[in-house]
Amino acid sequence: VYFGSFIGYLVVSWMNDNLGRRKSILIGLGVSFIGIVIIAQGKYDVAQVGLFLAGFGIDPSVNTIFYFISETVENKSRQKHSTIIQFFFSLAGIVNVVNYLIFKNWRVIAYVFFVMPAAISVFLVYWFVQ
């Protein structure tokens, strides 16, 4: 995951400059979605590839989203948007722990709480970010 993030920062930084913020966010989130699906399959041999891809896309894309917000949203709303995003990141960590206590099948957790939100985020960025 960390090596994927390191490589992702290098590649996504280049994409931000050459392709634009929207395309780089879409590509990063799309790559991380593929990685999350691979992880959810549960095959140990390819899970390492999935972890690399997830790390490659998620962290650089989230930082690009903050750059995008700082460039496009006015000053008063910018703080609200950033605070809401950080709140949901923190909430996701708590919900993740509770999910593992409630649900005994990790694949259900993987598909419902990781794959579906990743697909929704790619969809929302594609349709609503200009």
Side-chain angles (χ1 to χ4, degrees):
V1 174
Y2 299 112
F3 183 67
S5 287
F6 174 73
I7 301 298
Y9 273 114
L10 298 175
V11 174
V12 171
S13 296
W14 178 84
M15 288 190 308
N16 283 335
D17 292 338
N18 295 310
L19 301 177
R21 304 267 194 250
R22 181 179 184 267
K23 286 184 182 179
S24 65
I25 292 169
L26 280 172
I27 292 169
L29 289 178
V31 169
S32 67
F33 173 72
I34 292 168
I36 291 169
V37 170
I38 291 171
I39 295 167
Q41 296 297 317
K43 298 177 181 162
Y44 179 75
D45 298 339
V46 294
Q48 296 169 356
V49 174
L51 288 169
F52 175 83
L53 293 175
F56 178 91
I58 291 173
D59 201 32
S61 295
V62 169
N63 283 328
T64 303
I65 289 169
F66 282 118
Y67 302 146
F68 189 79
I69 289 172
S70 68
E71 293 172 351
T72 59
V73 178
E74 63 185 40
N75 195 17
K76 292 180 183 178
S77 297
R78 183 182 317 150
Q79 294 171 347
K80 293 176 186 175
H81 285 76
S82 298
T83 303
I84 289 169
I85 290 171
Q86 291 296 333
F87 170 77
F88 280 108
F89 273 123
S90 302
L91 182 64
I94 295 168
V95 170
N96 194 19
V97 171
V98 172
N99 288 334
Y100 280 102
L101 294 173
I102 294 173
F103 300 105
K104 301 304 177 193
N105 188 350
W106 67 270
R107 288 183 193 251
V108 171
I109 296 169
Y111 283 107
V112 173
F113 296 103
F114 294 106
V115 173
M116 284 178 41
I120 291 169
S121 67
V122 172
F123 174 78
L124 291 175
V125 167
Y126 179 77
W127 285 105
F128 293 111
V129 175
Q130 299 299 324

